Amino acid sequence: MLKTLEFKVMGAPVGKARPRFTKSGHVYTASKTKDYEKSVGQAAWVAMLKARLRPTDKRVSVIMSHHFKIPKSYSKAKVIACQAGSIIPPTYDLDNLAKSILDGCNKIVWDDDASVWHLTCFKRYCDVDVEPHTQVRIQWDDGRPETNIL
């Protein structure tokens, strides 16, 4: 039976930052990245509860769309181009945006993001009157046959 989980992470998308090092050589994750991954985990956890789903060990497919706010300094022509999708947000590499979502879902939706076998990821500017956010859809087959209830 195919399981589907959908959730939205409100706020400007944040890409996974590189590990940081202290003077003594200890490695740590930047607080902005850590906070965003926590927000992702909370949104995924709430969606898992609402959908009455348990973390899976099956292979999963993930589709995510990162929506950024159009800068106020852009000209009217540039705003129109952003809304049409002709201009994409220059901030964050797409792979780092995906990594922050995948890592945020670890131990909540799946044990480890190594179980992701399919990934589709977009970044674009928000539509008019829409706040920045990331929309996530995760699907997996739990291996059980679908029951027909008629």
Side-chain angles (χ1 to χ4, degrees), residues 12-13 65-75 77-92 97 122-133:
S65 181
H66 306 275
H67 300 258
F68 292 84
K69 190 166 191 70
I70 299 173
K72 290 183 180 187
S73 62
Y74 280 11
S75 68
K78 203 167 181 181
V79 167
I80 291 169
C82 290
Q83 291 170 338
S86 301
I87 299 175
I88 61 168
T91 54
Y92 298 114
L97 288 167
F122 304 93
K123 72 175 180 176
R124 59 167 311 205
Y125 284 109
C126 295
D127 292 330
V128 178
D129 297 327
V130 175
E131 291 300 312
H133 67 279

PDB file of all heavy atoms in Angstrom, residues 12-13 65-75 77-92 97 122-133:
ATOM      1  N   ALA A  12      11.659  31.225   5.348  1.00  0.00           N
ATOM      2  CA  ALA A  12      12.597  31.166   4.226  1.00  0.00           C
ATOM      3  C   ALA A  12      13.391  29.859   4.262  1.00  0.00           C
ATOM      4  O   ALA A  12      13.882  29.463   5.319  1.00  0.00           O
ATOM      5  CB  ALA A  12      13.552  32.341   4.286  1.00  0.00           C
ATOM      6  N   PRO A  13      13.486  29.162   3.125  1.00  0.00           N
ATOM      7  CA  PRO A  13      14.275  27.928   3.077  1.00  0.00           C
ATOM      8  C   PRO A  13      15.739  28.200   3.434  1.00  0.00           C
ATOM      9  O   PRO A  13      16.281  29.258   3.116  1.00  0.00           O
ATOM     10  CB  PRO A  13      14.150  27.484   1.620  1.00  0.00           C
ATOM     11  CG  PRO A  13      12.905  28.139   1.121  1.00  0.00           C
ATOM     12  CD  PRO A  13      12.838  29.449   1.841  1.00  0.00           C
ATOM     13  N   SER A  65       9.693  21.544  -2.942  1.00  0.00           N
ATOM     14  CA  SER A  65       9.687  22.806  -3.660  1.00  0.00           C
ATOM     15  C   SER A  65       9.966  23.933  -2.663  1.00  0.00           C
ATOM     16  O   SER A  65       9.225  24.112  -1.704  1.00  0.00           O
ATOM     17  CB  SER A  65       8.322  22.998  -4.326  1.00  0.00           C
ATOM     18  OG  SER A  65       8.302  24.190  -5.044  1.00  0.00           O
ATOM     19  N   HIS A  66      11.054  24.650  -2.893  1.00  0.00           N
ATOM     20  CA  HIS A  66      11.494  25.723  -2.006  1.00  0.00           C
ATOM     21  C   HIS A  66      11.058  27.063  -2.596  1.00  0.00           C
ATOM     22  O   HIS A  66      11.428  27.388  -3.725  1.00  0.00           O
ATOM     23  CB  HIS A  66      13.015  25.703  -1.851  1.00  0.00           C
ATOM     24  CG  HIS A  66      13.544  24.383  -1.405  1.00  0.00           C
ATOM     25  ND1 HIS A  66      13.608  24.024  -0.079  1.00  0.00           N
ATOM     26  CD2 HIS A  66      14.003  23.317  -2.106  1.00  0.00           C
ATOM     27  CE1 HIS A  66      14.104  22.804   0.018  1.00  0.00           C
ATOM     28  NE2 HIS A  66      14.345  22.359  -1.198  1.00  0.00           N
ATOM     29  N   HIS A  67      10.294  27.829  -1.824  1.00  0.00           N
ATOM     30  CA  HIS A  67       9.735  29.098  -2.302  1.00  0.00           C
ATOM     31  C   HIS A  67      10.353  30.266  -1.529  1.00  0.00           C
ATOM     32  O   HIS A  67      10.191  30.347  -0.313  1.00  0.00           O
ATOM     33  CB  HIS A  67       8.216  29.100  -2.124  1.00  0.00           C
ATOM     34  CG  HIS A  67       7.553  28.002  -2.886  1.00  0.00           C
ATOM     35  ND1 HIS A  67       6.915  28.214  -4.075  1.00  0.00           N
ATOM     36  CD2 HIS A  67       7.454  26.673  -2.641  1.00  0.00           C
ATOM     37  CE1 HIS A  67       6.432  27.058  -4.526  1.00  0.00           C
ATOM     38  NE2 HIS A  67       6.753  26.120  -3.664  1.00  0.00           N
ATOM     39  N   PHE A  68      11.029  31.158  -2.245  1.00  0.00           N
ATOM     40  CA  PHE A  68      11.717  32.307  -1.652  1.00  0.00           C
ATOM     41  C   PHE A  68      10.940  33.597  -1.914  1.00  0.00           C
ATOM     42  O   PHE A  68      10.249  33.721  -2.921  1.00  0.00           O
ATOM     43  CB  PHE A  68      13.119  32.457  -2.260  1.00  0.00           C
ATOM     44  CG  PHE A  68      14.063  31.367  -1.884  1.00  0.00           C
ATOM     45  CD1 PHE A  68      14.092  30.171  -2.583  1.00  0.00           C
ATOM     46  CD2 PHE A  68      14.938  31.529  -0.818  1.00  0.00           C
ATOM     47  CE1 PHE A  68      14.971  29.160  -2.245  1.00  0.00           C
ATOM     48  CE2 PHE A  68      15.826  30.519  -0.469  1.00  0.00           C
ATOM     49  CZ  PHE A  68      15.836  29.333  -1.179  1.00  0.00           C
ATOM     50  N   LYS A  69      11.093  34.548  -1.029  1.00  0.00           N
ATOM     51  CA  LYS A  69      10.448  35.857  -1.172  1.00  0.00           C
ATOM     52  C   LYS A  69      11.203  36.666  -2.235  1.00  0.00           C
ATOM     53  O   LYS A  69      12.438  36.647  -2.279  1.00  0.00           O
ATOM     54  CB  LYS A  69      10.474  36.588   0.163  1.00  0.00           C
ATOM     55  CG  LYS A  69       9.623  37.830   0.193  1.00  0.00           C
ATOM     56  CD  LYS A  69       9.443  38.285   1.628  1.00  0.00           C
ATOM     57  CE  LYS A  69       8.405  39.349   1.747  1.00  0.00           C
ATOM     58  NZ  LYS A  69       7.042  38.897   1.517  1.00  0.00           N
ATOM     59  N   ILE A  70      10.462  37.372  -3.073  1.00  0.00           N
ATOM     60  CA  ILE A  70      11.075  38.235  -4.083  1.00  0.00           C
ATOM     61  C   ILE A  70      11.604  39.481  -3.375  1.00  0.00           C
ATOM     62  O   ILE A  70      10.865  40.131  -2.629  1.00  0.00           O
ATOM     63  CB  ILE A  70      10.051  38.633  -5.174  1.00  0.00           C
ATOM     64  CG1 ILE A  70       9.538  37.388  -5.895  1.00  0.00           C
ATOM     65  CG2 ILE A  70      10.676  39.622  -6.163  1.00  0.00           C
ATOM     66  CD1 ILE A  70       8.399  37.641  -6.862  1.00  0.00           C
ATOM     67  N   PRO A  71      12.870  39.829  -3.584  1.00  0.00           N
ATOM     68  CA  PRO A  71      13.429  41.020  -2.925  1.00  0.00           C
ATOM     69  C   PRO A  71      12.666  42.292  -3.306  1.00  0.00           C
ATOM     70  O   PRO A  71      12.284  42.480  -4.463  1.00  0.00           O
ATOM     71  CB  PRO A  71      14.868  41.074  -3.445  1.00  0.00           C
ATOM     72  CG  PRO A  71      15.181  39.663  -3.826  1.00  0.00           C
ATOM     73  CD  PRO A  71      13.892  39.095  -4.339  1.00  0.00           C
ATOM     74  N   LYS A  72      12.449  43.167  -2.334  1.00  0.00           N
ATOM     75  CA  LYS A  72      11.712  44.412  -2.558  1.00  0.00           C
ATOM     76  C   LYS A  72      12.477  45.354  -3.486  1.00  0.00           C
ATOM     77  O   LYS A  72      11.884  46.226  -4.118  1.00  0.00           O
ATOM     78  CB  LYS A  72      11.418  45.102  -1.234  1.00  0.00           C
ATOM     79  CG  LYS A  72      10.399  44.344  -0.413  1.00  0.00           C
ATOM     80  CD  LYS A  72      10.058  45.063   0.858  1.00  0.00           C
ATOM     81  CE  LYS A  72       9.031  44.212   1.612  1.00  0.00           C
ATOM     82  NZ  LYS A  72       8.509  44.873   2.784  1.00  0.00           N
ATOM     83  N   SER A  73      13.778  45.180  -3.581  1.00  0.00           N
ATOM     84  CA  SER A  73      14.596  46.062  -4.411  1.00  0.00           C
ATOM     85  C   SER A  73      14.471  45.763  -5.907  1.00  0.00           C
ATOM     86  O   SER A  73      14.931  46.551  -6.732  1.00  0.00           O
ATOM     87  CB  SER A  73      16.060  45.939  -3.998  1.00  0.00           C
ATOM     88  OG  SER A  73      16.512  44.611  -4.204  1.00  0.00           O
ATOM     89  N   TYR A  74      13.836  44.654  -6.266  1.00  0.00           N
ATOM     90  CA  TYR A  74      13.707  44.285  -7.677  1.00  0.00           C
ATOM     91  C   TYR A  74      12.743  45.223  -8.406  1.00  0.00           C
ATOM     92  O   TYR A  74      11.727  45.636  -7.854  1.00  0.00           O
ATOM     93  CB  TYR A  74      13.212  42.851  -7.825  1.00  0.00           C
ATOM     94  CG  TYR A  74      14.268  41.780  -7.643  1.00  0.00           C
ATOM     95  CD1 TYR A  74      15.531  42.064  -7.147  1.00  0.00           C
ATOM     96  CD2 TYR A  74      13.998  40.462  -7.961  1.00  0.00           C
ATOM     97  CE1 TYR A  74      16.475  41.082  -6.977  1.00  0.00           C
ATOM     98  CE2 TYR A  74      14.933  39.469  -7.805  1.00  0.00           C
ATOM     99  CZ  TYR A  74      16.182  39.781  -7.305  1.00  0.00           C
ATOM    100  OH  TYR A  74      17.117  38.797  -7.139  1.00  0.00           O
ATOM    101  N   SER A  75      13.072  45.509  -9.658  1.00  0.00           N
ATOM    102  CA  SER A  75      12.195  46.342 -10.488  1.00  0.00           C
ATOM    103  C   SER A  75      10.915  45.580 -10.816  1.00  0.00           C
ATOM    104  O   SER A  75      10.849  44.350 -10.661  1.00  0.00           O
ATOM    105  CB  SER A  75      12.916  46.709 -11.791  1.00  0.00           C
ATOM    106  OG  SER A  75      13.085  45.531 -12.580  1.00  0.00           O
ATOM    107  N   ALA A  77       9.706  44.857 -13.698  1.00  0.00           N
ATOM    108  CA  ALA A  77       9.976  43.887 -14.761  1.00  0.00           C
ATOM    109  C   ALA A  77      10.649  42.634 -14.198  1.00  0.00           C
ATOM    110  O   ALA A  77      10.323  41.507 -14.589  1.00  0.00           O
ATOM    111  CB  ALA A  77      10.853  44.515 -15.836  1.00  0.00           C
ATOM    112  N   LYS A  78      11.560  42.841 -13.266  1.00  0.00           N
ATOM    113  CA  LYS A  78      12.264  41.707 -12.665  1.00  0.00           C
ATOM    114  C   LYS A  78      11.324  40.885 -11.779  1.00  0.00           C
ATOM    115  O   LYS A  78      11.407  39.660 -11.741  1.00  0.00           O
ATOM    116  CB  LYS A  78      13.472  42.201 -11.867  1.00  0.00           C
ATOM    117  CG  LYS A  78      14.553  41.168 -11.676  1.00  0.00           C
ATOM    118  CD  LYS A  78      15.836  41.798 -11.157  1.00  0.00           C
ATOM    119  CE  LYS A  78      16.913  40.760 -10.994  1.00  0.00           C
ATOM    120  NZ  LYS A  78      18.152  41.320 -10.480  1.00  0.00           N
ATOM    121  N   VAL A  79      10.398  41.553 -11.089  1.00  0.00           N
ATOM    122  CA  VAL A  79       9.396  40.865 -10.266  1.00  0.00           C
ATOM    123  C   VAL A  79       8.526  39.976 -11.145  1.00  0.00           C
ATOM    124  O   VAL A  79       8.258  38.816 -10.811  1.00  0.00           O
ATOM    125  CB  VAL A  79       8.536  41.869  -9.464  1.00  0.00           C
ATOM    126  CG1 VAL A  79       7.310  41.195  -8.869  1.00  0.00           C
ATOM    127  CG2 VAL A  79       9.359  42.522  -8.368  1.00  0.00           C
ATOM    128  N   ILE A  80       8.111  40.495 -12.274  1.00  0.00           N
ATOM    129  CA  ILE A  80       7.289  39.719 -13.211  1.00  0.00           C
ATOM    130  C   ILE A  80       8.065  38.506 -13.719  1.00  0.00           C
ATOM    131  O   ILE A  80       7.523  37.404 -13.813  1.00  0.00           O
ATOM    132  CB  ILE A  80       6.795  40.611 -14.377  1.00  0.00           C
ATOM    133  CG1 ILE A  80       5.781  41.627 -13.840  1.00  0.00           C
ATOM    134  CG2 ILE A  80       6.187  39.774 -15.497  1.00  0.00           C
ATOM    135  CD1 ILE A  80       5.415  42.727 -14.822  1.00  0.00           C
ATOM    136  N   ALA A  81       9.337  38.691 -14.013  1.00  0.00           N
ATOM    137  CA  ALA A  81      10.175  37.574 -14.467  1.00  0.00           C
ATOM    138  C   ALA A  81      10.331  36.523 -13.367  1.00  0.00           C
ATOM    139  O   ALA A  81      10.314  35.320 -13.643  1.00  0.00           O
ATOM    140  CB  ALA A  81      11.545  38.087 -14.907  1.00  0.00           C
ATOM    141  N   CYS A  82      10.445  36.967 -12.115  1.00  0.00           N
ATOM    142  CA  CYS A  82      10.543  36.038 -10.976  1.00  0.00           C
ATOM    143  C   CYS A  82       9.251  35.229 -10.846  1.00  0.00           C
ATOM    144  O   CYS A  82       9.284  34.015 -10.649  1.00  0.00           O
ATOM    145  CB  CYS A  82      10.807  36.792  -9.676  1.00  0.00           C
ATOM    146  SG  CYS A  82      12.431  37.520  -9.540  1.00  0.00           S
ATOM    147  N   GLN A  83       8.116  35.912 -10.951  1.00  0.00           N
ATOM    148  CA  GLN A  83       6.828  35.244 -10.817  1.00  0.00           C
ATOM    149  C   GLN A  83       6.582  34.264 -11.955  1.00  0.00           C
ATOM    150  O   GLN A  83       5.917  33.243 -11.769  1.00  0.00           O
ATOM    151  CB  GLN A  83       5.697  36.279 -10.754  1.00  0.00           C
ATOM    152  CG  GLN A  83       5.723  37.081  -9.478  1.00  0.00           C
ATOM    153  CD  GLN A  83       4.772  38.261  -9.500  1.00  0.00           C
ATOM    154  OE1 GLN A  83       4.373  38.747 -10.550  1.00  0.00           O
ATOM    155  NE2 GLN A  83       4.421  38.739  -8.309  1.00  0.00           N
ATOM    156  N   ALA A  84       7.137  34.558 -13.118  1.00  0.00           N
ATOM    157  CA  ALA A  84       6.987  33.667 -14.274  1.00  0.00           C
ATOM    158  C   ALA A  84       7.954  32.487 -14.206  1.00  0.00           C
ATOM    159  O   ALA A  84       7.832  31.531 -14.970  1.00  0.00           O
ATOM    160  CB  ALA A  84       7.219  34.447 -15.563  1.00  0.00           C
ATOM    161  N   GLY A  85       8.923  32.546 -13.291  1.00  0.00           N
ATOM    162  CA  GLY A  85       9.891  31.460 -13.155  1.00  0.00           C
ATOM    163  C   GLY A  85      11.105  31.620 -14.045  1.00  0.00           C
ATOM    164  O   GLY A  85      11.928  30.714 -14.146  1.00  0.00           O
ATOM    165  N   SER A  86      11.232  32.780 -14.712  1.00  0.00           N
ATOM    166  CA  SER A  86      12.387  33.026 -15.584  1.00  0.00           C
ATOM    167  C   SER A  86      13.657  33.285 -14.789  1.00  0.00           C
ATOM    168  O   SER A  86      14.753  33.059 -15.272  1.00  0.00           O
ATOM    169  CB  SER A  86      12.120  34.229 -16.486  1.00  0.00           C
ATOM    170  OG  SER A  86      10.978  34.016 -17.269  1.00  0.00           O
ATOM    171  N   ILE A  87      13.484  33.797 -13.567  1.00  0.00           N
ATOM    172  CA  ILE A  87      14.628  34.068 -12.685  1.00  0.00           C
ATOM    173  C   ILE A  87      14.475  33.175 -11.461  1.00  0.00           C
ATOM    174  O   ILE A  87      13.407  33.126 -10.852  1.00  0.00           O
ATOM    175  CB  ILE A  87      14.658  35.545 -12.248  1.00  0.00           C
ATOM    176  CG1 ILE A  87      14.797  36.458 -13.468  1.00  0.00           C
ATOM    177  CG2 ILE A  87      15.798  35.783 -11.264  1.00  0.00           C
ATOM    178  CD1 ILE A  87      14.713  37.938 -13.136  1.00  0.00           C
ATOM    179  N   ILE A  88      15.542  32.463 -11.124  1.00  0.00           N
ATOM    180  CA  ILE A  88      15.494  31.609  -9.928  1.00  0.00           C
ATOM    181  C   ILE A  88      16.304  32.259  -8.808  1.00  0.00           C
ATOM    182  O   ILE A  88      17.232  33.017  -9.079  1.00  0.00           O
ATOM    183  CB  ILE A  88      16.012  30.177 -10.197  1.00  0.00           C
ATOM    184  CG1 ILE A  88      17.466  30.189 -10.658  1.00  0.00           C
ATOM    185  CG2 ILE A  88      15.115  29.456 -11.180  1.00  0.00           C
ATOM    186  CD1 ILE A  88      18.117  28.833 -10.664  1.00  0.00           C
ATOM    187  N   PRO A  89      15.948  31.966  -7.563  1.00  0.00           N
ATOM    188  CA  PRO A  89      16.691  32.550  -6.433  1.00  0.00           C
ATOM    189  C   PRO A  89      18.163  32.133  -6.469  1.00  0.00           C
ATOM    190  O   PRO A  89      18.468  30.950  -6.642  1.00  0.00           O
ATOM    191  CB  PRO A  89      15.996  31.955  -5.205  1.00  0.00           C
ATOM    192  CG  PRO A  89      14.649  31.537  -5.692  1.00  0.00           C
ATOM    193  CD  PRO A  89      14.833  31.142  -7.119  1.00  0.00           C
ATOM    194  N   PRO A  90      19.084  33.097  -6.333  1.00  0.00           N
ATOM    195  CA  PRO A  90      20.503  32.754  -6.379  1.00  0.00           C
ATOM    196  C   PRO A  90      21.035  32.176  -5.068  1.00  0.00           C
ATOM    197  O   PRO A  90      22.122  31.598  -5.043  1.00  0.00           O
ATOM    198  CB  PRO A  90      21.171  34.101  -6.679  1.00  0.00           C
ATOM    199  CG  PRO A  90      20.248  35.109  -6.070  1.00  0.00           C
ATOM    200  CD  PRO A  90      18.864  34.543  -6.228  1.00  0.00           C
ATOM    201  N   THR A  91      20.271  32.340  -3.980  1.00  0.00           N
ATOM    202  CA  THR A  91      20.770  31.876  -2.685  1.00  0.00           C
ATOM    203  C   THR A  91      20.647  30.371  -2.549  1.00  0.00           C
ATOM    204  O   THR A  91      19.657  29.787  -2.981  1.00  0.00           O
ATOM    205  CB  THR A  91      20.005  32.538  -1.527  1.00  0.00           C
ATOM    206  OG1 THR A  91      18.612  32.307  -1.727  1.00  0.00           O
ATOM    207  CG2 THR A  91      20.249  34.021  -1.482  1.00  0.00           C
ATOM    208  N   TYR A  92      21.619  29.771  -1.967  1.00  0.00           N
ATOM    209  CA  TYR A  92      21.705  28.338  -1.676  1.00  0.00           C
ATOM    210  C   TYR A  92      21.719  27.471  -2.934  1.00  0.00           C
ATOM    211  O   TYR A  92      20.915  27.645  -3.835  1.00  0.00           O
ATOM    212  CB  TYR A  92      20.562  27.861  -0.769  1.00  0.00           C
ATOM    213  CG  TYR A  92      20.545  28.510   0.586  1.00  0.00           C
ATOM    214  CD1 TYR A  92      19.508  29.348   0.946  1.00  0.00           C
ATOM    215  CD2 TYR A  92      21.565  28.282   1.497  1.00  0.00           C
ATOM    216  CE1 TYR A  92      19.476  29.944   2.195  1.00  0.00           C
ATOM    217  CE2 TYR A  92      21.549  28.874   2.740  1.00  0.00           C
ATOM    218  CZ  TYR A  92      20.506  29.706   3.084  1.00  0.00           C
ATOM    219  OH  TYR A  92      20.492  30.292   4.313  1.00  0.00           O
ATOM    220  N   LEU A  97      19.842  22.758  -0.153  1.00  0.00           N
ATOM    221  CA  LEU A  97      18.451  22.912   0.284  1.00  0.00           C
ATOM    222  C   LEU A  97      17.829  21.540   0.525  1.00  0.00           C
ATOM    223  O   LEU A  97      17.161  21.310   1.532  1.00  0.00           O
ATOM    224  CB  LEU A  97      17.639  23.678  -0.771  1.00  0.00           C
ATOM    225  CG  LEU A  97      17.948  25.163  -0.898  1.00  0.00           C
ATOM    226  CD1 LEU A  97      17.327  25.727  -2.168  1.00  0.00           C
ATOM    227  CD2 LEU A  97      17.457  25.916   0.320  1.00  0.00           C
ATOM    228  N   PHE A 122      12.922  21.591  -6.407  1.00  0.00           N
ATOM    229  CA  PHE A 122      12.777  22.847  -7.134  1.00  0.00           C
ATOM    230  C   PHE A 122      13.085  24.014  -6.203  1.00  0.00           C
ATOM    231  O   PHE A 122      12.885  23.916  -5.005  1.00  0.00           O
ATOM    232  CB  PHE A 122      11.325  23.041  -7.610  1.00  0.00           C
ATOM    233  CG  PHE A 122      10.790  21.930  -8.449  1.00  0.00           C
ATOM    234  CD1 PHE A 122      10.087  20.883  -7.869  1.00  0.00           C
ATOM    235  CD2 PHE A 122      10.968  21.933  -9.823  1.00  0.00           C
ATOM    236  CE1 PHE A 122       9.572  19.856  -8.640  1.00  0.00           C
ATOM    237  CE2 PHE A 122      10.453  20.902 -10.605  1.00  0.00           C
ATOM    238  CZ  PHE A 122       9.755  19.872 -10.017  1.00  0.00           C
ATOM    239  N   LYS A 123      13.525  25.119  -6.780  1.00  0.00           N
ATOM    240  CA  LYS A 123      13.572  26.367  -6.028  1.00  0.00           C
ATOM    241  C   LYS A 123      13.035  27.454  -6.943  1.00  0.00           C
ATOM    242  O   LYS A 123      13.285  27.465  -8.151  1.00  0.00           O
ATOM    243  CB  LYS A 123      14.967  26.688  -5.496  1.00  0.00           C
ATOM    244  CG  LYS A 123      16.007  27.114  -6.485  1.00  0.00           C
ATOM    245  CD  LYS A 123      17.295  27.499  -5.754  1.00  0.00           C
ATOM    246  CE  LYS A 123      18.358  27.927  -6.747  1.00  0.00           C
ATOM    247  NZ  LYS A 123      19.578  28.384  -6.097  1.00  0.00           N
ATOM    248  N   ARG A 124      12.245  28.332  -6.347  1.00  0.00           N
ATOM    249  CA  ARG A 124      11.614  29.402  -7.116  1.00  0.00           C
ATOM    250  C   ARG A 124      11.197  30.519  -6.171  1.00  0.00           C
ATOM    251  O   ARG A 124      11.303  30.380  -4.959  1.00  0.00           O
ATOM    252  CB  ARG A 124      10.421  28.870  -7.890  1.00  0.00           C
ATOM    253  CG  ARG A 124       9.334  28.247  -7.027  1.00  0.00           C
ATOM    254  CD  ARG A 124       8.079  28.039  -7.796  1.00  0.00           C
ATOM    255  NE  ARG A 124       7.799  29.302  -8.468  1.00  0.00           N
ATOM    256  CZ  ARG A 124       6.607  29.696  -8.852  1.00  0.00           C
ATOM    257  NH1 ARG A 124       5.583  28.938  -8.660  1.00  0.00           N
ATOM    258  NH2 ARG A 124       6.418  30.859  -9.427  1.00  0.00           N
ATOM    259  N   TYR A 125      10.710  31.583  -6.752  1.00  0.00           N
ATOM    260  CA  TYR A 125      10.193  32.680  -5.950  1.00  0.00           C
ATOM    261  C   TYR A 125       8.720  32.425  -5.649  1.00  0.00           C
ATOM    262  O   TYR A 125       8.023  31.740  -6.399  1.00  0.00           O
ATOM    263  CB  TYR A 125      10.364  34.015  -6.672  1.00  0.00           C
ATOM    264  CG  TYR A 125      11.790  34.528  -6.634  1.00  0.00           C
ATOM    265  CD1 TYR A 125      12.579  34.529  -7.767  1.00  0.00           C
ATOM    266  CD2 TYR A 125      12.338  34.984  -5.442  1.00  0.00           C
ATOM    267  CE1 TYR A 125      13.891  34.990  -7.715  1.00  0.00           C
ATOM    268  CE2 TYR A 125      13.643  35.445  -5.386  1.00  0.00           C
ATOM    269  CZ  TYR A 125      14.409  35.442  -6.524  1.00  0.00           C
ATOM    270  OH  TYR A 125      15.701  35.893  -6.463  1.00  0.00           O
ATOM    271  N   CYS A 126       8.251  32.994  -4.537  1.00  0.00           N
ATOM    272  CA  CYS A 126       6.851  32.839  -4.117  1.00  0.00           C
ATOM    273  C   CYS A 126       5.908  33.536  -5.087  1.00  0.00           C
ATOM    274  O   CYS A 126       6.272  34.511  -5.737  1.00  0.00           O
ATOM    275  CB  CYS A 126       6.629  33.472  -2.740  1.00  0.00           C
ATOM    276  SG  CYS A 126       7.505  32.705  -1.403  1.00  0.00           S
ATOM    277  N   ASP A 127       4.688  33.045  -5.131  1.00  0.00           N
ATOM    278  CA  ASP A 127       3.629  33.722  -5.855  1.00  0.00           C
ATOM    279  C   ASP A 127       3.209  34.952  -5.052  1.00  0.00           C
ATOM    280  O   ASP A 127       3.591  35.110  -3.887  1.00  0.00           O
ATOM    281  CB  ASP A 127       2.432  32.784  -6.049  1.00  0.00           C
ATOM    282  CG  ASP A 127       2.763  31.630  -6.999  1.00  0.00           C
ATOM    283  OD1 ASP A 127       3.607  31.824  -7.901  1.00  0.00           O
ATOM    284  OD2 ASP A 127       2.187  30.539  -6.837  1.00  0.00           O
ATOM    285  N   VAL A 128       2.385  35.791  -5.638  1.00  0.00           N
ATOM    286  CA  VAL A 128       1.903  37.002  -4.976  1.00  0.00           C
ATOM    287  C   VAL A 128       1.170  36.639  -3.687  1.00  0.00           C
ATOM    288  O   VAL A 128       0.372  35.703  -3.654  1.00  0.00           O
ATOM    289  CB  VAL A 128       0.955  37.781  -5.918  1.00  0.00           C
ATOM    290  CG1 VAL A 128       0.404  39.018  -5.235  1.00  0.00           C
ATOM    291  CG2 VAL A 128       1.682  38.147  -7.201  1.00  0.00           C
ATOM    292  N   ASP A 129       1.454  37.374  -2.632  1.00  0.00           N
ATOM    293  CA  ASP A 129       0.805  37.204  -1.321  1.00  0.00           C
ATOM    294  C   ASP A 129       1.022  35.833  -0.683  1.00  0.00           C
ATOM    295  O   ASP A 129       0.218  35.391   0.131  1.00  0.00           O
ATOM    296  CB  ASP A 129      -0.702  37.499  -1.410  1.00  0.00           C
ATOM    297  CG  ASP A 129      -0.970  38.942  -1.798  1.00  0.00           C
ATOM    298  OD1 ASP A 129      -0.160  39.818  -1.412  1.00  0.00           O
ATOM    299  OD2 ASP A 129      -1.980  39.197  -2.479  1.00  0.00           O
ATOM    300  N   VAL A 130       2.093  35.150  -1.047  1.00  0.00           N
ATOM    301  CA  VAL A 130       2.435  33.866  -0.435  1.00  0.00           C
ATOM    302  C   VAL A 130       3.748  34.041   0.316  1.00  0.00           C
ATOM    303  O   VAL A 130       4.699  34.609  -0.211  1.00  0.00           O
ATOM    304  CB  VAL A 130       2.569  32.747  -1.496  1.00  0.00           C
ATOM    305  CG1 VAL A 130       3.034  31.454  -0.862  1.00  0.00           C
ATOM    306  CG2 VAL A 130       1.258  32.549  -2.235  1.00  0.00           C
ATOM    307  N   GLU A 131       3.770  33.567   1.553  1.00  0.00           N
ATOM    308  CA  GLU A 131       4.970  33.676   2.385  1.00  0.00           C
ATOM    309  C   GLU A 131       5.996  32.607   1.980  1.00  0.00           C
ATOM    310  O   GLU A 131       5.631  31.540   1.496  1.00  0.00           O
ATOM    311  CB  GLU A 131       4.606  33.509   3.858  1.00  0.00           C
ATOM    312  CG  GLU A 131       3.788  34.665   4.411  1.00  0.00           C
ATOM    313  CD  GLU A 131       4.509  35.993   4.318  1.00  0.00           C
ATOM    314  OE1 GLU A 131       5.689  36.068   4.712  1.00  0.00           O
ATOM    315  OE2 GLU A 131       3.891  36.964   3.837  1.00  0.00           O
ATOM    316  N   PRO A 132       7.290  32.864   2.208  1.00  0.00           N
ATOM    317  CA  PRO A 132       8.317  31.870   1.893  1.00  0.00           C
ATOM    318  C   PRO A 132       8.072  30.575   2.671  1.00  0.00           C
ATOM    319  O   PRO A 132       7.665  30.613   3.836  1.00  0.00           O
ATOM    320  CB  PRO A 132       9.627  32.514   2.340  1.00  0.00           C
ATOM    321  CG  PRO A 132       9.317  33.927   2.632  1.00  0.00           C
ATOM    322  CD  PRO A 132       7.852  34.070   2.797  1.00  0.00           C
ATOM    323  N   HIS A 133       8.319  29.454   2.015  1.00  0.00           N
ATOM    324  CA  HIS A 133       8.092  28.148   2.637  1.00  0.00           C
ATOM    325  C   HIS A 133       8.729  27.054   1.787  1.00  0.00           C
ATOM    326  O   HIS A 133       9.192  27.310   0.677  1.00  0.00           O
ATOM    327  CB  HIS A 133       6.589  27.876   2.788  1.00  0.00           C
ATOM    328  CG  HIS A 133       5.886  27.714   1.479  1.00  0.00           C
ATOM    329  ND1 HIS A 133       5.482  28.796   0.711  1.00  0.00           N
ATOM    330  CD2 HIS A 133       5.526  26.602   0.788  1.00  0.00           C
ATOM    331  CE1 HIS A 133       4.901  28.359  -0.385  1.00  0.00           C
ATOM    332  NE2 HIS A 133       4.916  27.031  -0.375  1.00  0.00           N
TER     333      HIS A 133
END
